[in-house]
Amino acid sequence: MFLERSLRRVVVAVMRELSGPIPVNIGGGRSYNIHLVPLARLDSLLREVRLQRGPCVVVTDANVAGRWLPQLAEALDGWDPSVIVLPAGEQTKSHASVRSVYDKVLAQGIDRQTPVIAFGGGVIGDLAGFAAATLLRGLPLVHVPTSLIAQVDSAIGGKTGINHAAGKNLIGSFYQPRLVCTDTSILDTLPSLEWASGLAEVVKHALIADTQLLAYLERSWHKVQSREPATVRTMVGWAAAVKAAIVAEDEKEQGRRAILNFGHTFGHAIERVAGYGAYTHGEAVALGMRAALSLSARLHKHFDMDRAMSLVCQIPVRYPLSSQPVSVDALMDAMRYDKKASRGALRLVALRAVGQAYVTDQVTRDALLAAWAAAYH
Amino acid sequence: MFLERSLRRVVVAVMRELSGPIPVNIGGGRSYNIHLVPLARLDSLLREVRLQRGPCVVVTDANVAGRWLPQLAEALDGWDPSVIVLPAGEQTKSHASVRSVYDKVLAQGIDRQTPVIAFGGGVIGDLAGFAAATLLRGLPLVHVPTSLIAQVDSAIGGKTGINHAAGKNLIGSFYQPRLVCTDTSILDTLPSLEWASGLAEVVKHALIADTQLLAYLERSWHKVQSREPATVRTMVGWAAAVKAAIVAEDEKEQGRRAILNFGHTFGHAIERVAGYGAYTHGEAVALGMRAALSLSARLHKHFDMDRAMSLVCQIPVRYPLSSQPVSVDALMDAMRYDKKASRGALRLVALRAVGQAYVTDQVTRDALLAAWAAAYH
């Protein structure tokens, strides 16, 4: 009873805080804010960070443009935007797309003050971020994330990049935006697969670092599922704040930030073995978290796996692993690939308790096999 | 007499200081040192910055590889280097070269600790720097500059980049190396055109920020021309220290660092109009500095142009502008292009006195015409 009330008080406090921006305190002059505001506020946010009205570049994809470009154009009244519309989908994170952005941007009259606005989900954010990082040695980058995964995860923390034949995200840089403008009402039109994909990252943020967010999700799950506007706004702001706090501690992923990979090493193996595209990234992470929770329970006798697993299993996944022609041996092999790629031992993120993640390279083959078995159910 | 003695004391002090590394104090954990040491010291320098022996990537060009690769390989005894040899010349600063570096590096087993060693002049430094900045969101970069221009200028300050059809250096990033290993004995084999090109930057550093370096160059010019080893070492260390001090004040070229463009706006116009390759960059800068000095004299009545011009005119230039089919009108047009590219007024670097550069956008057309006329002699 007391716990409930104290949690509610925290939630209320967080919701109150969310009326202001969420700071991402990177340091070195690269700090910025995440603003949970209607898209219409974009112009004033740009000017708050001393970007002067004039030319700007909007990078977006065909899906987002089809539904939301008029609203963005209205929000950029007074600006002179050049809009680059790319095909939706992971294949857009390519050298060819970056080259086409370079060509189009450089054909305009731009200078180092010309903002690049990434208007889309994770793919657009990563791609436009990389283009901004590498044009004229760095143009001001503004994220306007339109997917749940982008709003709570990929638009925060400065990771930019594209894929290479040798693997995903192998080309890229750390490049912080000047601001993030997050309008949660855009999520109303998000396809359910993408919504579920984002939920996997929200649940992950709660599991690794914030028991109160976890409790909020447990209590509000039906409102989350129905995308009740106030609940979505609270959830997005809260999850974004968790991500912001973690990346602020470790801008370049040299330590703490690695806990954000909870469920991801397993998930990457699933994506690799099932074939990219068979699962969404979020589905693979949701399945990967099942394995990671099982591993955590094996490593820590008092770990409350049932509570965590109960929420993870509510993240919609179209098909269980057991319905796929994916063997544990193949998954183990795929993890060895990850290990080879990182010179040395396989590093995994485990939980010693809900909200307390850490990185370990002390995982036996037996423990891995058992963890994978758990993911199959 | 007193002045002479005091100058000599400063030179002696600088030479003494040069027995230690030259710090580039960027801040934000990105500071590094320039070491004026024999190439053979490279392995110990790498380990001093906590890079552990293992795989490393060497990017170089055919000219440098032909003459110095055995010495580098010896200096990397205990390492496992993959060597990427690119064609020498400006055309190597291309998307295609970066792609080939990506492909070759990613075909190896690398991780975020794998150093990229840029072993060459400005082209290799810019290209390998850009590849390092964008592989796995940043590999440790080590500059081993082999040209005078790289040792005193391009390897210091974190500018990386490649050319685009729309212009030079339009794609790139600011990315600081972990260390710079400068062996001035490598300059013994530098072709005379490249030597002269580097001298233009040395003289520029002296003119914009260090009258004592200027005096040293005046006194030692015949030893500079004959590449007397101790003089070369002093000159390189001194000029590198000037560059380091300027970039440390302004990592991302938002203010002070712009003075490094002294003579360059004029020089870029010359390169553009004469056709890239007609002059070396250094020759164009040397001619551009003649114009910039004339402009400075017009803006500041007490400016000692004769002293500055006397040294600038000793930088070897194969043909005077007057021998080229290059009209002042065409040069003025080329400068307007620069102006258009930077939204607003043409910004030029002038000297109010020797050693005191500043940026101005208050230059009349008449003053520009007169400045160009001076460059023709």
Side-chain angles (χ1 to χ4, degrees), chain A residues 239-255:
Chain A
V242 170
K243 171 89 188 241
I246 293 170
V247 300
E249 278 182 52
D250 176 23
E251 182 183 4
K252 304 237 168 122
E253 202 169 31
Q254 293 165 329

Side-chain angles (χ1 to χ4, degrees), chain A residues 103 134 136 164 170 172 343, chain B residues 103 111 134 136 164 170 172 343:
Chain A
D103 293 349
T134 54
L136 308 192
H164 182 275
L170 293 180
R343 195 198 291 191
Chain B
D103 294 348
D111 64 23
T134 53
L136 307 193
H164 182 275
L170 293 180
R343 195 200 290 192

Side-chain angles (χ1 to χ4, degrees), chain B residues 60-71 85 119:
Chain B
T60 187
D61 71 32
N63 290 351
V64 172
R67 180 63 185 79
W68 293 101
L69 198 55
Q71 289 85 336
V85 182
F119 186 52

Side-chain angles (χ1 to χ4, degrees), chain B residues 1-13 219:
Chain B
M1 192 62 183
F2 170 75
L3 189 68
E4 266 302 297
R5 206 178 306 155
S6 107
L7 277 173
R8 205 168 307 135
R9 223 179 302 136
V10 170
V11 173
V12 169
R219 266 182 326 199

Side-chain angles (χ1 to χ4, degrees), chain B residues 209-260:
Chain B
D210 196 329
T211 53
Q212 295 177 338
L213 173 56
L214 190 75
Y216 177 77
L217 293 171
E218 288 168 338
R219 266 182 326 199
S220 318
W221 194 253
H222 64 285
K223 290 190 196 166
V224 166
Q225 287 179 298
S226 65
R227 306 193 200 178
E228 192 274 316
T231 305
V232 169
R233 189 168 182 284
T234 300
M235 175 185 81
V236 167
W238 202 333
V242 170
K243 171 90 187 240
I246 293 171
V247 300
E249 279 183 52
D250 176 23
E251 181 183 4
K252 303 237 169 121
E253 201 168 31
Q254 293 165 330
R256 174 96 177 134
R257 189 166 174 164
I259 64 170
L260 289 163

Side-chain angles (χ1 to χ4, degrees), chain B residues 206-323:
Chain B
L207 286 174
I208 62 175
D210 196 329
T211 53
Q212 295 177 338
L213 173 56
L214 190 75
Y216 177 77
L217 293 171
E218 288 168 338
R219 266 182 326 199
S220 318
W221 194 253
H222 64 285
K223 290 190 196 166
V224 166
Q225 287 179 298
S226 65
R227 306 193 200 178
E228 192 274 316
T231 305
V232 169
R233 189 168 182 284
T234 300
M235 175 185 81
V236 167
W238 202 333
V242 170
K243 171 90 187 240
I246 293 171
V247 300
E249 279 183 52
D250 176 23
E251 181 183 4
K252 303 237 169 121
E253 201 168 31
Q254 293 165 330
R256 174 96 177 134
R257 189 166 174 164
I259 64 170
L260 289 163
N261 286 324
F262 180 69
H264 279 60
T265 308
F266 292 101
H268 290 157
I270 293 169
E271 287 184 276
R272 173 177 290 272
V273 174
Y276 289 105
Y279 290 103
T280 65
H281 176 69
E283 287 176 315
V285 169
L287 293 170
M289 285 195 289
R290 297 185 194 185
L293 289 175
S294 162
L295 178 71
S296 302
R298 189 183 173 103
L299 297 173
H300 303 280
K301 293 219 163 57
H302 300 292
F303 174 61
D304 186 357
M305 180 175 82
D306 290 345
R307 179 185 174 193
M309 194 70 92
S310 158
L311 191 62
V312 165
C313 287
Q314 288 184 62
I315 301 165
V317 173
R318 283 167 299 169
Y319 359 86
L321 266 182
S322 52
S323 75

Side-chain angles (χ1 to χ4, degrees), chain A residues 16-37:
Chain A
R16 194 180 305 130
E17 277 175 31
L18 290 184
S19 62
I22 302 163
V24 188
N25 293 314
I26 299 282
R30 294 186 304 286
S31 293
Y32 56 98
N33 286 323
I34 303 164
H35 300 265
L36 262 75
V37 295

